[in-house]
Amino acid sequence: MDNLTEFNKKKYNNTFDLIYKTTMEQKENGSITIESLKALLRDQYVYSDLDWLGRGEIKDIINRATVAALESILYEWKEELKNK
């Protein structure tokens, strides 16, 4: 595997972990609601569509990792509510 691919994987994983951790902390301390999480996710989807100038590969990786982390939390939260 070349260095760029390895760097991209590391960037994705680090971003996912950071977004997941900080958002889960917000969930646990009550500073984020499921509605505000959905709004954050919606904003990330909008942001990913606003690439007419070209953000570049790194910003796209960050956006994909952010969306994946927020989607994971939203799914887990919905499952948690459903199982209560």
Side-chain angles (χ1 to χ4, degrees):
M1 210 166 283
D2 65 9
N3 287 339
L4 185 57
T5 302
E6 203 53 48
F7 174 82
N8 291 351
K9 282 183 178 181
K10 187 174 182 179
K11 186 65 175 173
Y12 181 94
N13 291 334
N14 288 344
T15 301
F16 182 97
D17 292 344
L18 176 65
I19 297 298
Y20 189 92
K21 179 182 177 231
T22 56
T23 306
M24 286 301 287
E25 287 172 357
Q26 291 173 330
K27 177 184 177 276
E28 296 304 319
N29 71 26
S31 63
I32 191 171
T33 64
I34 198 164
E35 291 79 19
S36 57
L37 177 62
K38 288 177 184 178
L40 282 172
L41 187 55
R42 184 187 64 239
D43 290 346
Q44 287 300 310
Y45 285 130
V46 169
Y47 176 72
S48 57
D49 288 340
L50 299 176
D51 191 23
W52 62 278
L53 288 177
R55 276 186 295 274
E57 188 173 6
I58 298 302
K59 290 299 268 182
D60 286 339
I61 289 168
I62 291 168
N63 183 253
R64 285 194 303 271
T66 300
V67 166
L70 295 176
E71 284 179 342
S72 295
I73 293 167
L74 182 60
Y75 174 80
E76 292 167 8
W77 203 341
K78 285 181 177 181
E79 287 296 307
E80 180 182 309
L81 292 173
K82 185 168 63 172
N83 293 325
K84 280 189 174 183

